Amino acid sequence: MVRIYWHFRTLLAWSLAVLAFIAFALTNPAFLHAGNLYSLLQSFAVLALVATGLSIVMIAGEFDLSIAGTIPLAGLIAVKVGETAGIHLGVAAAVAVAAAVGVLNGWLTAHYAVPSLAVTVGTLVLTIGLGFAVAGGKIVTLTDFEPGLWLDQAIAEIVSPRALLYVVLVVAAGWLMAKTWSGVKIRAVGSDRQRSAASGLPVTRVLILAFVISGLFAGVAGALQGLTLASGAPGSDEATLLQAVTAAIIGGVALTGGKGSIPGVAAGAMLLAVVGNGLSLQGTSTAIIQLINGGILLLIVVIDRPLNRIVNKSVEKSMSTSQHRVPTNR
């Protein structure tokens, strides 16, 4: 029953995304133009990547606010180092710093038993400060436009190498969570950390892994964004963080940890990307789009509560039945 429920949550998110896509396609012929589909897939890919990394931390029972600072910091480092030492080294340095932030988040949260919200608020401020230190209070620019142009060149007119890379990373994360022991451990820690520790699971390493994935995905998104814009500026990216949280919750990731799927998160990202793209094409203001996204999230939460209650009752009933069936030793 539980597995059916979470499959339903994923199916619900994908169904809403498909319905939204069909609705915009029928009401605005320009929605299906190659250029608009290219823009849609670009938005979806980056949101799916960041939301996937965040969702893994949420499944582990924690939260990562620091990605709002990691994204612009990675872009700054990629541009700053890339301008003097080469693009490849710039991207590598950006991703390494993002991973280091993830390690710090995971270690502090697990080793000192500090709530991750408090830890990642601190690392968010830290990454913003590092960004201003790297940039020296200025906008950093890249004179070599070729890498950015290649990353965003259109393939079959609707997708780019950058978007394809993001999708590959999301698929890899889905495989990790669904098919490996690391995914099982992350879910176990998120479901019941004390019981996981008592059973011998390496809770600290599991949390560090979850935060490192989140940091890496945010770092990749920020670094490649810096290359495509050929510039970087210090600050924070709260808009992407909020959209990532919304996509994760719409996709079925539980705030209490232990539950959620990467395909569901991708569906949530697709729904937000379709709605944002379609409404923008119709001239809707950003404020109204954010209002509608909030409404979608509230609708999902309202639908989810009775369904979750039914599942919990079903689980309790099945456990009670199993206990009654256990034979006694004579």
Side-chain angles (χ1 to χ4, degrees):
M1 184 68 179
V2 175
R3 181 171 294 181
I4 293 174
Y5 169 71
W6 290 109
H7 284 321
F8 172 78
R9 284 300 307 272
T10 300
L11 180 62
L12 174 63
W14 276 115
S15 298
L16 291 175
V18 170
L19 288 174
F21 187 93
I22 294 173
F24 286 119
L26 292 176
T27 56
N28 192 341
F31 183 78
L32 293 178
H33 287 178
N36 187 64
L37 292 179
Y38 171 87
S39 177
L40 170 62
L41 290 178
Q42 289 286 93
S43 300
F44 159 72
V46 65
L47 178 56
L49 180 70
V50 177
T52 294
L54 175 62
S55 69
I56 291 175
V57 172
M58 292 172 67
I59 293 172
E62 298 296 343
F63 202 82
D64 188 1
L65 293 171
S66 67
I67 59 176
T70 300
I71 293 173
L73 175 62
L76 274 170
I77 294 174
V79 171
K80 184 83 170 182
V81 178
E83 178 69 10
T84 56
I87 298 300
H88 293 89
L89 189 58
V91 173
V95 173
V97 170
V101 174
V103 171
L104 182 61
N105 284 333
W107 186 77
L108 289 175
T109 299
H111 188 74
Y112 290 103
V114 179
S116 57
L117 281 175
V119 171
T120 56
V121 164
T123 50
L124 169 60
V125 175
L126 175 64
T127 52
I128 293 173
L130 286 174
F132 279 99
V134 170
K138 302 177 182 178
I139 296 177
V140 178
T141 58
L142 185 66
T143 56
D144 185 2
F145 295 96
E146 289 300 321
L149 292 174
W150 180 85
L151 284 170
D152 279 354
Q153 68 177 333
I155 301 174
E157 298 185 348
I158 61 172
V159 70
S160 69
R162 181 161 65 105
L164 288 176
L165 173 61
Y166 292 169
V167 171
V168 168
L169 290 175
V170 171
V171 172
W175 174 82
L176 173 77
M177 294 300 294
K179 301 296 183 181
T180 70
W181 278 112
S182 294
V184 173
K185 292 175 183 177
I186 289 173
R187 293 184 189 280
V189 170
S191 298
D192 193 328
R193 184 171 305 175
Q194 292 183 345
R195 184 174 296 180
S196 297
S199 64
L201 287 181
V203 173
T204 299
R205 281 186 288 172
V206 169
L207 289 178
I208 289 176
L209 172 63
F211 276 104
V212 165
I213 294 173
S214 178
L216 282 174
F217 282 14
V220 169
L224 298 192
Q225 182 181 40
L227 295 185
T228 58
L229 296 176
S231 65
S236 61
D237 190 354
E238 290 92 353
T240 300
L241 170 63
L242 292 175
Q243 278 200 309
V245 175
T246 304
I249 296 175
I250 289 175
V253 177
L255 291 172
T256 53
K259 303 180 183 70
S261 71
I262 303 305
V265 175
M270 179 59 78
L271 176 60
L272 293 180
V274 169
V275 171
N277 179 274
L279 292 177
S280 295
L281 198 63
Q282 295 176 354
T284 307
S285 67
T286 302
I288 298 299
I289 293 174
Q290 291 177 343
L291 182 64
I292 292 174
N293 288 342
I296 293 172
L297 176 59
L298 290 176
L299 175 63
I300 295 293
V301 171
V302 169
I303 294 174
D304 180 61
R305 285 186 64 84
L307 292 174
N308 196 23
R309 194 178 299 118
I310 292 172
V311 172
N312 289 335
K313 288 182 179 179
S314 176
V315 171
E316 291 174 0
K317 183 178 179 181
S318 63
M319 290 178 64
S320 177
T321 303
S322 299
Q323 290 174 354
H324 285 304
R325 289 178 179 176
V326 176
T328 57
N329 294 325
R330 297 184 178 180

mmCIF file of all heavy atoms in Angstrom, residues 235-276:
data_model
loop_
_atom_site.group_PDB
_atom_site.id
_atom_site.type_symbol
_atom_site.label_atom_id
_atom_site.label_comp_id
_atom_site.label_asym_id
_atom_site.label_seq_id
_atom_site.Cartn_x
_atom_site.Cartn_y
_atom_site.Cartn_z
ATOM 1 N N GLY A 235 26.187 37.126 -3.901
ATOM 2 C CA GLY A 235 24.828 37.248 -3.398
ATOM 3 C C GLY A 235 24.229 35.887 -3.116
ATOM 4 O O GLY A 235 24.952 34.916 -2.862
ATOM 5 N N SER A 236 22.916 35.807 -3.155
ATOM 6 C CA SER A 236 22.232 34.540 -2.914
ATOM 7 C C SER A 236 21.101 34.373 -3.925
ATOM 8 O O SER A 236 20.603 35.351 -4.488
ATOM 9 C CB SER A 236 21.675 34.478 -1.485
ATOM 10 O OG SER A 236 20.740 35.523 -1.275
ATOM 11 N N ASP A 237 20.704 33.137 -4.124
ATOM 12 C CA ASP A 237 19.683 32.809 -5.123
ATOM 13 C C ASP A 237 18.495 32.163 -4.415
ATOM 14 O O ASP A 237 18.267 30.955 -4.540
ATOM 15 C CB ASP A 237 20.276 31.880 -6.182
ATOM 16 C CG ASP A 237 19.345 31.696 -7.370
ATOM 17 O OD1 ASP A 237 18.207 32.192 -7.326
ATOM 18 O OD2 ASP A 237 19.749 31.035 -8.352
ATOM 19 N N GLU A 238 17.743 32.980 -3.676
ATOM 20 C CA GLU A 238 16.597 32.444 -2.939
ATOM 21 C C GLU A 238 15.493 31.949 -3.862
ATOM 22 O O GLU A 238 14.754 31.023 -3.521
ATOM 23 C CB GLU A 238 16.014 33.504 -1.998
ATOM 24 C CG GLU A 238 16.892 33.862 -0.818
ATOM 25 C CD GLU A 238 17.803 35.041 -1.128
ATOM 26 O OE1 GLU A 238 17.823 35.466 -2.308
ATOM 27 O OE2 GLU A 238 18.494 35.526 -0.203
ATOM 28 N N ALA A 239 15.370 32.543 -5.052
ATOM 29 C CA ALA A 239 14.299 32.156 -5.967
ATOM 30 C C ALA A 239 14.439 30.695 -6.381
ATOM 31 O O ALA A 239 13.457 29.939 -6.370
ATOM 32 C CB ALA A 239 14.305 33.059 -7.193
ATOM 33 N N THR A 240 15.670 30.288 -6.720
ATOM 34 C CA THR A 240 15.888 28.897 -7.110
ATOM 35 C C THR A 240 15.677 27.959 -5.931
ATOM 36 O O THR A 240 15.115 26.869 -6.077
ATOM 37 C CB THR A 240 17.309 28.718 -7.668
ATOM 38 O OG1 THR A 240 17.469 29.555 -8.823
ATOM 39 C CG2 THR A 240 17.557 27.270 -8.081
ATOM 40 N N LEU A 241 16.104 28.376 -4.741
ATOM 41 C CA LEU A 241 15.894 27.561 -3.544
ATOM 42 C C LEU A 241 14.406 27.324 -3.296
ATOM 43 O O LEU A 241 13.974 26.184 -3.060
ATOM 44 C CB LEU A 241 16.519 28.248 -2.331
ATOM 45 C CG LEU A 241 16.189 27.641 -0.960
ATOM 46 C CD1 LEU A 241 16.725 26.219 -0.859
ATOM 47 C CD2 LEU A 241 16.750 28.516 0.163
ATOM 48 N N LEU A 242 13.619 28.382 -3.367
ATOM 49 C CA LEU A 242 12.184 28.252 -3.112
ATOM 50 C C LEU A 242 11.512 27.372 -4.165
ATOM 51 O O LEU A 242 10.644 26.554 -3.851
ATOM 52 C CB LEU A 242 11.530 29.633 -3.084
ATOM 53 C CG LEU A 242 11.912 30.528 -1.899
ATOM 54 C CD1 LEU A 242 11.302 31.914 -2.054
ATOM 55 C CD2 LEU A 242 11.469 29.897 -0.589
ATOM 56 N N GLN A 243 11.915 27.521 -5.419
ATOM 57 C CA GLN A 243 11.342 26.685 -6.469
ATOM 58 C C GLN A 243 11.746 25.224 -6.281
ATOM 59 O O GLN A 243 10.942 24.322 -6.513
ATOM 60 C CB GLN A 243 11.804 27.169 -7.846
ATOM 61 C CG GLN A 243 10.996 28.337 -8.380
ATOM 62 C CD GLN A 243 11.124 28.468 -9.884
ATOM 63 O OE1 GLN A 243 12.220 28.490 -10.422
ATOM 64 N NE2 GLN A 243 10.002 28.551 -10.572
ATOM 65 N N ALA A 244 12.981 24.997 -5.846
ATOM 66 C CA ALA A 244 13.444 23.632 -5.617
ATOM 67 C C ALA A 244 12.660 22.976 -4.487
ATOM 68 O O ALA A 244 12.274 21.804 -4.582
ATOM 69 C CB ALA A 244 14.942 23.630 -5.303
ATOM 70 N N VAL A 245 12.421 23.714 -3.419
ATOM 71 C CA VAL A 245 11.626 23.188 -2.307
ATOM 72 C C VAL A 245 10.217 22.854 -2.782
ATOM 73 O O VAL A 245 9.663 21.787 -2.480
ATOM 74 C CB VAL A 245 11.563 24.204 -1.146
ATOM 75 C CG1 VAL A 245 10.639 23.702 -0.049
ATOM 76 C CG2 VAL A 245 12.952 24.454 -0.586
ATOM 77 N N THR A 246 9.623 23.761 -3.547
ATOM 78 C CA THR A 246 8.269 23.543 -4.055
ATOM 79 C C THR A 246 8.213 22.319 -4.954
ATOM 80 O O THR A 246 7.298 21.497 -4.844
ATOM 81 C CB THR A 246 7.792 24.785 -4.833
ATOM 82 O OG1 THR A 246 7.889 25.945 -4.002
ATOM 83 C CG2 THR A 246 6.356 24.625 -5.281
ATOM 84 N N ALA A 247 9.195 22.176 -5.848
ATOM 85 C CA ALA A 247 9.225 21.022 -6.747
ATOM 86 C C ALA A 247 9.349 19.722 -5.973
ATOM 87 O O ALA A 247 8.694 18.724 -6.293
ATOM 88 C CB ALA A 247 10.389 21.156 -7.731
ATOM 89 N N ALA A 248 10.183 19.727 -4.931
ATOM 90 C CA ALA A 248 10.371 18.514 -4.129
ATOM 91 C C ALA A 248 9.090 18.118 -3.414
ATOM 92 O O ALA A 248 8.699 16.940 -3.409
ATOM 93 C CB ALA A 248 11.500 18.726 -3.127
ATOM 94 N N ILE A 249 8.400 19.087 -2.813
ATOM 95 C CA ILE A 249 7.178 18.780 -2.072
ATOM 96 C C ILE A 249 6.069 18.356 -3.024
ATOM 97 O O ILE A 249 5.323 17.403 -2.757
ATOM 98 C CB ILE A 249 6.751 19.988 -1.225
ATOM 99 C CG1 ILE A 249 7.810 20.287 -0.159
ATOM 100 C CG2 ILE A 249 5.406 19.722 -0.554
ATOM 101 C CD1 ILE A 249 7.546 21.531 0.638
ATOM 102 N N ILE A 250 5.935 19.049 -4.156
ATOM 103 C CA ILE A 250 4.941 18.655 -5.150
ATOM 104 C C ILE A 250 5.205 17.226 -5.620
ATOM 105 O O ILE A 250 4.277 16.438 -5.822
ATOM 106 C CB ILE A 250 4.963 19.623 -6.351
ATOM 107 C CG1 ILE A 250 4.383 20.979 -5.946
ATOM 108 C CG2 ILE A 250 4.163 19.049 -7.531
ATOM 109 C CD1 ILE A 250 4.476 22.030 -7.025
ATOM 110 N N GLY A 251 6.483 16.880 -5.761
ATOM 111 C CA GLY A 251 6.862 15.548 -6.236
ATOM 112 C C GLY A 251 6.727 14.453 -5.199
ATOM 113 O O GLY A 251 6.996 13.290 -5.497
ATOM 114 N N GLY A 252 6.326 14.801 -3.965
ATOM 115 C CA GLY A 252 6.055 13.774 -2.973
ATOM 116 C C GLY A 252 7.107 13.587 -1.903
ATOM 117 O O GLY A 252 7.016 12.644 -1.118
ATOM 118 N N VAL A 253 8.115 14.450 -1.840
ATOM 119 C CA VAL A 253 9.127 14.327 -0.790
ATOM 120 C C VAL A 253 8.535 14.812 0.524
ATOM 121 O O VAL A 253 8.001 15.922 0.602
ATOM 122 C CB VAL A 253 10.388 15.140 -1.135
ATOM 123 C CG1 VAL A 253 11.407 15.062 0.002
ATOM 124 C CG2 VAL A 253 11.013 14.625 -2.425
ATOM 125 N N ALA A 254 8.621 13.977 1.551
ATOM 126 C CA ALA A 254 8.035 14.311 2.854
ATOM 127 C C ALA A 254 8.990 15.200 3.646
ATOM 128 O O ALA A 254 10.199 14.953 3.687
ATOM 129 C CB ALA A 254 7.732 13.040 3.635
ATOM 130 N N LEU A 255 8.439 16.235 4.271
ATOM 131 C CA LEU A 255 9.248 17.115 5.110
ATOM 132 C C LEU A 255 9.769 16.393 6.347
ATOM 133 O O LEU A 255 10.749 16.824 6.957
ATOM 134 C CB LEU A 255 8.427 18.331 5.527
ATOM 135 C CG LEU A 255 8.085 19.325 4.412
ATOM 136 C CD1 LEU A 255 7.118 20.370 4.924
ATOM 137 C CD2 LEU A 255 9.341 19.974 3.860
ATOM 138 N N THR A 256 9.120 15.294 6.716
ATOM 139 C CA THR A 256 9.546 14.527 7.886
ATOM 140 C C THR A 256 10.662 13.542 7.561
ATOM 141 O O THR A 256 11.202 12.906 8.462
ATOM 142 C CB THR A 256 8.359 13.754 8.464
ATOM 143 O OG1 THR A 256 7.741 12.986 7.420
ATOM 144 C CG2 THR A 256 7.324 14.710 9.041
ATOM 145 N N GLY A 257 11.017 13.406 6.284
ATOM 146 C CA GLY A 257 12.120 12.532 5.897
ATOM 147 C C GLY A 257 11.687 11.118 5.589
ATOM 148 O O GLY A 257 10.601 10.676 5.973
ATOM 149 N N GLY A 258 12.562 10.394 4.889
ATOM 150 C CA GLY A 258 12.354 8.979 4.639
ATOM 151 C C GLY A 258 11.502 8.645 3.436
ATOM 152 O O GLY A 258 11.478 7.494 3.002
ATOM 153 N N LYS A 259 10.800 9.616 2.875
ATOM 154 C CA LYS A 259 9.864 9.332 1.784
ATOM 155 C C LYS A 259 10.091 10.290 0.628
ATOM 156 O O LYS A 259 10.393 11.460 0.829
ATOM 157 C CB LYS A 259 8.422 9.437 2.261
ATOM 158 C CG LYS A 259 8.073 8.538 3.429
ATOM 159 C CD LYS A 259 6.624 8.713 3.826
ATOM 160 C CE LYS A 259 6.269 7.861 5.042
ATOM 161 N NZ LYS A 259 6.907 8.367 6.276
ATOM 162 N N GLY A 260 9.886 9.767 -0.585
ATOM 163 C CA GLY A 260 10.021 10.582 -1.781
ATOM 164 C C GLY A 260 10.779 9.849 -2.862
ATOM 165 O O GLY A 260 11.505 8.891 -2.588
ATOM 166 N N SER A 261 10.600 10.280 -4.100
ATOM 167 C CA SER A 261 11.282 9.646 -5.227
ATOM 168 C C SER A 261 11.813 10.713 -6.170
ATOM 169 O O SER A 261 11.219 11.795 -6.306
ATOM 170 C CB SER A 261 10.328 8.711 -5.983
ATOM 171 O OG SER A 261 9.351 9.459 -6.692
ATOM 172 N N ILE A 262 12.907 10.424 -6.831
ATOM 173 C CA ILE A 262 13.500 11.375 -7.776
ATOM 174 C C ILE A 262 12.594 11.591 -8.987
ATOM 175 O O ILE A 262 12.455 12.734 -9.450
ATOM 176 C CB ILE A 262 14.901 10.904 -8.206
ATOM 177 C CG1 ILE A 262 15.795 10.731 -6.967
ATOM 178 C CG2 ILE A 262 15.535 11.915 -9.162
ATOM 179 C CD1 ILE A 262 15.897 11.945 -6.074
ATOM 180 N N PRO A 263 11.947 10.544 -9.554
ATOM 181 C CA PRO A 263 10.998 10.804 -10.648
ATOM 182 C C PRO A 263 9.882 11.764 -10.229
ATOM 183 O O PRO A 263 9.431 12.591 -11.027
ATOM 184 C CB PRO A 263 10.447 9.412 -10.973
ATOM 185 C CG PRO A 263 11.538 8.479 -10.588
ATOM 186 C CD PRO A 263 12.159 9.088 -9.372
ATOM 187 N N GLY A 264 9.433 11.663 -8.984
ATOM 188 C CA GLY A 264 8.421 12.590 -8.498
ATOM 189 C C GLY A 264 8.941 14.015 -8.438
ATOM 190 O O GLY A 264 8.246 14.968 -8.795
ATOM 191 N N VAL A 265 10.180 14.186 -7.980
ATOM 192 C CA VAL A 265 10.790 15.512 -7.922
ATOM 193 C C VAL A 265 10.929 16.084 -9.335
ATOM 194 O O VAL A 265 10.662 17.276 -9.563
ATOM 195 C CB VAL A 265 12.169 15.444 -7.238
ATOM 196 C CG1 VAL A 265 12.872 16.799 -7.291
ATOM 197 C CG2 VAL A 265 12.015 14.989 -5.788
ATOM 198 N N ALA A 266 11.356 15.251 -10.286
ATOM 199 C CA ALA A 266 11.458 15.703 -11.674
ATOM 200 C C ALA A 266 10.097 16.142 -12.198
ATOM 201 O O ALA A 266 9.993 17.129 -12.943
ATOM 202 C CB ALA A 266 12.027 14.586 -12.546
ATOM 203 N N ALA A 267 9.042 15.431 -11.799
ATOM 204 C CA ALA A 267 7.687 15.803 -12.210
ATOM 205 C C ALA A 267 7.300 17.155 -11.632
ATOM 206 O O ALA A 267 6.700 17.993 -12.312
ATOM 207 C CB ALA A 267 6.693 14.728 -11.764
ATOM 208 N N GLY A 268 7.643 17.376 -10.360
ATOM 209 C CA GLY A 268 7.366 18.668 -9.741
ATOM 210 C C GLY A 268 8.104 19.797 -10.453
ATOM 211 O O GLY A 268 7.535 20.878 -10.681
ATOM 212 N N ALA A 269 9.359 19.537 -10.822
ATOM 213 C CA ALA A 269 10.130 20.546 -11.552
ATOM 214 C C ALA A 269 9.522 20.813 -12.929
ATOM 215 O O ALA A 269 9.459 21.961 -13.381
ATOM 216 C CB ALA A 269 11.582 20.089 -11.693
ATOM 217 N N MET A 270 9.072 19.760 -13.604
ATOM 218 C CA MET A 270 8.451 19.926 -14.916
ATOM 219 C C MET A 270 7.162 20.724 -14.815
ATOM 220 O O MET A 270 6.900 21.602 -15.641
ATOM 221 C CB MET A 270 8.170 18.555 -15.541
ATOM 222 C CG MET A 270 7.488 18.631 -16.905
ATOM 223 S SD MET A 270 8.463 19.547 -18.135
ATOM 224 C CE MET A 270 9.698 18.310 -18.578
ATOM 225 N N LEU A 271 6.347 20.438 -13.791
ATOM 226 C CA LEU A 271 5.098 21.182 -13.607
ATOM 227 C C LEU A 271 5.385 22.675 -13.414
ATOM 228 O O LEU A 271 4.745 23.527 -14.054
ATOM 229 C CB LEU A 271 4.335 20.628 -12.409
ATOM 230 C CG LEU A 271 3.054 21.369 -12.026
ATOM 231 C CD1 LEU A 271 2.055 21.370 -13.166
ATOM 232 C CD2 LEU A 271 2.430 20.756 -10.769
ATOM 233 N N LEU A 272 6.327 23.003 -12.552
ATOM 234 C CA LEU A 272 6.655 24.406 -12.310
ATOM 235 C C LEU A 272 7.232 25.062 -13.556
ATOM 236 O O LEU A 272 6.920 26.229 -13.860
ATOM 237 C CB LEU A 272 7.643 24.526 -11.155
ATOM 238 C CG LEU A 272 7.132 24.128 -9.767
ATOM 239 C CD1 LEU A 272 8.234 24.306 -8.732
ATOM 240 C CD2 LEU A 272 5.907 24.946 -9.387
ATOM 241 N N ALA A 273 8.064 24.326 -14.296
ATOM 242 C CA ALA A 273 8.657 24.874 -15.512
ATOM 243 C C ALA A 273 7.591 25.139 -16.573
ATOM 244 O O ALA A 273 7.606 26.183 -17.241
ATOM 245 C CB ALA A 273 9.715 23.920 -16.057
ATOM 246 N N VAL A 274 6.665 24.204 -16.744
ATOM 247 C CA VAL A 274 5.599 24.370 -17.732
ATOM 248 C C VAL A 274 4.709 25.552 -17.363
ATOM 249 O O VAL A 274 4.394 26.403 -18.208
ATOM 250 C CB VAL A 274 4.764 23.076 -17.850
ATOM 251 C CG1 VAL A 274 3.499 23.324 -18.671
ATOM 252 C CG2 VAL A 274 5.586 21.975 -18.496
ATOM 253 N N VAL A 275 4.281 25.617 -16.105
ATOM 254 C CA VAL A 275 3.410 26.704 -15.666
ATOM 255 C C VAL A 275 4.114 28.053 -15.802
ATOM 256 O O VAL A 275 3.538 29.031 -16.317
ATOM 257 C CB VAL A 275 2.959 26.477 -14.203
ATOM 258 C CG1 VAL A 275 2.243 27.706 -13.660
ATOM 259 C CG2 VAL A 275 2.041 25.266 -14.117
ATOM 260 N N GLY A 276 5.361 28.131 -15.360
ATOM 261 C CA GLY A 276 6.097 29.379 -15.457
ATOM 262 C C GLY A 276 6.309 29.803 -16.897
ATOM 263 O O GLY A 276 6.131 30.982 -17.250
#
